[in-house]
Amino acid sequence: MQSEHQFTLVANPDGKSPNERIGHVLNPETKAVYFRFSSSNIQNEDAALLGLFFQSNTSVMILDLSNNSLSSVGCHDLCNGLVTNKTLTQLDLSDNELDDECAASLSGILDSNNTALSISNLNISNNRFHDGIAVKLSSVLPSNKNLQILNLSDNFLDNHGCSALFNSLFNNKTLTELNLSSTRIGDEGCLAIASVLSQGSSLVNLILSNNEIGDKGVEHISIALTSSSSTNNKVPSSSLELLNLGNNYITNRGAHLLAKLVTKNKDIEAIHVEKNAIGDGGLCALVLALNESTSEFGEFFFSKNQISHIAASTLKKLISTKPFKIDESRLQQLSETKLVTGSDLFDWLFDIELNPFLNLPRLSNSKHGVYTEVYNMRNMTSLDLSHCGLDSDSFSSLCSLLANSQSALVSLSIAHNEIGDRGMTALLNSGVLSHQLRHLDISYNEFSDFSIWSIVRAVLTFRRFESLNLSGSSIGEEAASACVTLLKESPCLKVFRLANIEIVGQYFHEILKAVSYNQSLKLIDLSGIHLHLPAVEILKQSVLKASSLQYFDLEGCSFDRKSLELILSFISGGQAHYLNLSRSKIDANNSAAIAIALESKESVQIILGACTFNNFTKW
């Protein structure tokens, strides 16, 4: 097919070989600008004929030989012919069978000292090159003043080839786009990349997706781009606008480093980190940085990371404030939705960029629940983030938001996460506890004894707290001491939960003794603990003195016979109105005691769900 501007090698209706077709149609009068031979079964002997033809052709500007069967032999013959051509600017040899044996020939057509060619766009992706091609190209790139786009993706360059290539770019001022996707580059290769970027490279688009880059590699690049930003006058400014790090090994730490880069480098306009191992904390940091950035972001892709299904409304805010590339139909669907189910949001994560923490609604069991229309953070009074997969990074970012929003929170639950000591420190430093918070649930996280001590002391300092849940914690000497002080001195504490705690008997006894000093406590939760007789005797003495304590949550506890009889005496003696014995083992004698307790007080409530009864017929 021929036109004034394009020549295309058509399908083969007559069974002719490519060589016969090329020889038949190419002649000195063929003056097309674009010669398209992609997917035409071009082989080495055909390439030799093409080389001869283009040797004297004065019209060709674009030559597409992609997806053929060329090897290094054919590439060598083709380049020998092209070296004298004066018009060709774009050459596509992608998806062939080229290897390092033709590296010298390819670098030769870029050598300004030996060729009349002025190639600005070279695509040799998806071949069989190793680091030899990078070494050969590095010998000509410093003096080349024409090449603007180079695509080496889907080859086998590794760190050595990457280093050789980038070391040649210190003096190159024309290359603006470099595609090294799928070239086995790791953190070591990023050192060479960083050394060039820190000196003000001419690169505008750098594509490093589908490699082996981890947080260390991101650190090298981030530091380099921060030092070479347009706001730093001490070093030449970098021109980089697009950084593609998709499908690598980046975690929350790497995302935090990129967030710092975004805040300090005003030239970056597009970041790709999709298909990494980034969690809520890293993505939160990135989006917060993007919202604070004054640059005009055009692309931000981070789908298919390890993020939880939190806060669909955050997506709305993100989309409304930043014109990122997204799926417009999905956006319209979401903008009309007031109630989003977890499964729907999970699907959207793969199409739209979502950050979980800009504007949080009240959530509960967010991995499987529903996400309601958002409240403004400043007006929110209750926030339940239990079972949200939060780690220390994501929770620290949330605490910074709460601190900056003059939080009106009255109730906060972060149960069943992985907050850790660093997250607890962030909560203590955020000032949230000093605002209006009255109910705090930090159960089933992994805190040290010191963190438990710190939070209990903080709760005691602000004497308005009404409930504290420390279930699932490991209570050591310091934390137990703080709990004792809390029970003795807190004037408002009504609910204290210590279910499934790990504690030495001596410290546990001290806590039970301290209950007697509290005249506001109404419910104590000791679920899952083995309540042997000495502990129950101490508890009974405390109950007699603590007139307000009437609710006992003892779900899943293990008792000996006398222990449970003593507990049941709280009922018959009028001290308790509510007793939860769900999932407990109850023998025949205790069954009879339960019946007696129920008869002695009509208003009592005893919960026996999923209990195991031995010889129940004796009741």
Side-chain angles (χ1 to χ4, degrees):
M1 180 183 298
Q2 299 185 56
S3 69
E4 182 179 353
H5 301 290
Q6 176 174 325
F7 175 91
T8 301
L9 191 62
V10 297
N12 186 8
D14 302 323
K16 296 180 180 179
S17 68
N19 194 294
E20 291 175 315
R21 284 182 284 153
I22 291 172
H24 177 71
V25 298
L26 292 182
N27 58 70
E29 274 71 48
T30 306
K31 299 296 182 182
V33 172
Y34 179 14
F35 285 81
R36 183 172 179 269
F37 298 102
S38 61
S39 304
S40 299
N41 195 28
I42 300 294
Q43 301 182 26
N44 291 333
E45 57 269 27
D46 308 315
L49 186 60
L50 288 172
L52 290 173
F53 172 76
F54 288 114
Q55 203 170 30
S56 57
N57 184 277
T58 58
S59 66
V60 60
M61 297 181 67
I62 304 173
L63 176 57
D64 182 358
L65 287 165
S66 61
N67 195 24
N68 283 291
S69 303
L70 293 177
S71 69
S72 292
V73 174
C75 179
H76 178 75
D77 292 339
L78 176 68
C79 290
N80 281 343
L82 293 178
V83 74
T84 58
N85 187 284
K86 298 181 179 180
T87 58
L88 184 66
T89 59
Q90 297 184 38
L91 176 60
D92 188 347
L93 292 170
S94 61
D95 297 285
N96 279 282
E97 301 172 6
L98 312 181
D99 56 32
D100 285 351
E101 291 185 8
C102 66
S105 300
L106 280 171
S107 61
I109 63 175
L110 298 177
D111 188 350
S112 303
N113 298 319
N114 298 318
T115 181
L117 272 176
S118 300
I119 291 181
S120 61
N121 186 333
L122 177 62
N123 186 351
I124 50 175
S125 63
N126 199 21
N127 279 283
R128 300 177 181 177
F129 292 113
H130 287 74
D131 55 9
I133 184 65
V135 172
K136 287 296 183 180
L137 289 175
S138 67
S139 65
V140 297
L141 285 177
S143 59
N144 185 285
K145 295 180 174 57
N146 300 308
L147 190 64
Q148 298 175 24
I149 301 174
L150 176 59
N151 189 343
L152 285 164
S153 62
D154 292 285
N155 284 292
F156 306 96
L157 304 189
D158 65 38
N159 291 322
H160 179 259
C162 176
S163 299
L165 189 65
F166 271 88
N167 287 336
S168 71
L169 296 182
F170 281 105
N171 297 319
N172 184 291
K173 301 302 178 185
T174 57
L175 190 65
T176 59
E177 180 175 315
L178 180 57
N179 190 340
L180 294 176
S181 175
S182 301
T183 51
R184 302 194 302 185
I185 296 173
D187 293 343
E188 181 183 343
C190 289
L191 269 174
I193 296 174
S195 64
V196 174
L197 295 178
S198 64
Q199 298 302 312
S201 165
S202 61
L203 286 175
V204 175
N205 300 330
L206 179 58
I207 303 169
L208 299 171
S209 56
N210 303 304
N211 279 296
E212 301 167 8
I213 299 171
D215 294 337
K216 194 65 179 177
V218 173
E219 181 178 5
H220 297 323
I221 293 174
S222 297
I223 292 174
L225 289 174
T226 300
S227 66
S228 66
S229 67
S230 57
T231 57
N232 187 347
N233 297 323
K234 296 182 180 180
V235 296
S237 174
S238 169
S239 303
L240 199 69
E241 296 177 1
L242 181 147
L243 178 61
N244 190 335
L245 292 166
N247 200 14
N248 278 282
Y249 301 119
I250 304 170
T251 69
N252 279 342
R253 180 174 176 271
H256 278 273
L257 292 167
L258 289 173
K260 292 180 181 178
L261 166 63
V262 168
T263 58
K264 294 181 179 181
N265 188 307
K266 307 306 180 185
D267 303 308
I268 300 291
E269 296 181 359
I271 288 183
H272 291 237
V273 288
E274 65 270 23
K275 298 182 182 179
N276 278 280
I278 301 173
D280 289 350
L283 294 177
C284 175
L286 268 171
V287 174
L288 288 174
L290 290 173
N291 273 358
E292 295 172 2
S293 173
T294 57
S295 60
E296 295 295 329
F297 257 79
E299 296 179 1
F300 178 46
F301 295 148
F302 61 85
S303 60
K304 297 188 180 180
N305 276 280
Q306 298 175 1
I307 55 180
S308 59
H309 308 164
I310 305 177
S313 56
T314 300
L315 179 57
K316 293 184 182 180
K317 180 172 181 180
L318 177 59
I319 293 170
S320 65
T321 56
K322 292 289 181 179
F324 300 142
K325 272 191 177 180
I326 57 171
D327 185 326
E328 293 294 337
S329 62
R330 292 282 191 174
L331 171 58
Q332 181 63 29
Q333 183 181 1
L334 182 62
S335 65
E336 297 172 351
T337 303
K338 297 300 181 183
L339 191 65
V340 184
T341 65
S343 59
D344 289 336
L345 188 56
F346 184 78
D347 291 336
W348 281 326
L349 290 177
F350 296 91
D351 296 313
I352 312 179
E353 310 319 311
L354 171 67
N355 173 266
F357 284 127
L358 286 180
N359 209 4
L360 287 168
R362 186 177 188 280
L363 303 174
S364 180
N365 194 17
S366 61
K367 287 188 176 180
H368 307 289
V370 296
Y371 305 82
T372 58
E373 186 68 9
V374 76
Y375 315 149
N376 185 279
M377 176 76 79
R378 187 170 296 176
N379 299 325
M380 194 188 311
T381 59
S382 181
L383 179 59
D384 184 348
L385 291 172
S386 56
H387 296 276
C388 285
L390 300 178
D391 58 14
S392 57
D393 289 332
S394 57
F395 186 65
S396 297
S397 300
L398 172 61
C399 287
S400 65
L401 284 174
L402 291 171
N404 295 330
S405 65
Q406 297 180 344
S407 170
L409 280 179
V410 174
S411 175
L412 173 63
S413 173
I414 53 173
H416 294 275
N417 286 290
E418 298 177 3
I419 304 300
D421 291 340
R422 194 150 60 89
M424 180 59 69
T425 300
L427 177 62
L428 292 168
N429 293 335
S430 68
V432 172
L433 300 182
S434 65
H435 293 159
Q436 302 179 48
L437 201 65
R438 294 176 181 271
H439 308 278
L440 179 62
D441 183 353
I442 60 170
S443 59
Y444 301 99
N445 282 278
E446 296 180 0
F447 300 127
S448 66
D449 191 55
F450 178 76
S451 287
I452 298 294
W453 176 86
S454 300
I455 198 70
V456 174
R457 295 298 301 181
V459 167
L460 182 59
T461 300
F462 307 106
R463 298 165 67 83
R464 77 183 97 79
F465 274 81
E466 297 178 14
S467 69
L468 177 63
N469 192 343
L470 301 178
S471 299
S473 300
S474 179
I475 307 292
E477 182 177 3
E478 295 297 329
S481 175
C483 289
V484 168
T485 306
L486 176 68
L487 287 167
K488 287 182 177 181
E489 300 181 11
S490 176
C492 300
L493 189 65
K494 297 178 181 178
V495 178
F496 194 31
R497 295 189 180 276
L498 296 170
N500 297 298
I501 60 171
E502 296 180 8
I503 189 169
V504 175
Q506 175 187 347
Y507 304 145
F508 184 49
H509 292 174
E510 293 298 321
I511 292 175
L512 294 179
K513 289 178 184 178
V515 170
S516 65
Y517 293 90
N518 193 292
Q519 298 304 311
S520 61
L521 192 65
K522 292 186 176 183
L523 182 149
I524 188 165
D525 184 355
L526 301 175
S527 299
I529 300 176
H530 176 64
L531 294 176
H532 51 79
L533 186 58
V536 176
E537 288 176 339
I538 295 173
L539 180 60
K540 181 176 182 179
Q541 294 302 317
S542 295
V543 170
L544 291 174
K545 296 179 182 179
S547 58
S548 61
L549 185 57
Q550 297 179 338
Y551 299 87
F552 299 86
D553 198 341
L554 305 178
E555 179 179 347
C557 286
S558 57
F559 314 94
D560 52 44
R561 183 174 60 83
K562 290 185 178 181
S563 295
L564 186 52
E565 286 179 0
L566 195 56
I567 289 171
L568 291 169
S569 70
F570 299 171
I571 299 290
S572 58
Q575 286 84 22
H577 293 276
Y578 173 94
L579 181 61
N580 183 0
L581 295 175
S582 300
R583 303 182 186 280
S584 300
K585 289 185 179 180
I586 300 175
D587 62 22
N589 292 325
N590 292 148
S591 299
I594 292 174
I596 294 172
L598 288 170
E599 291 175 357
S600 65
K601 202 171 192 315
E602 293 182 359
S603 60
V604 73
Q605 182 179 8
I606 300 180
I607 308 299
L608 298 172
C611 281
T612 301
F613 296 94
N614 297 324
N615 300 316
F616 183 64
T617 55
K618 292 184 180 181
W619 185 346

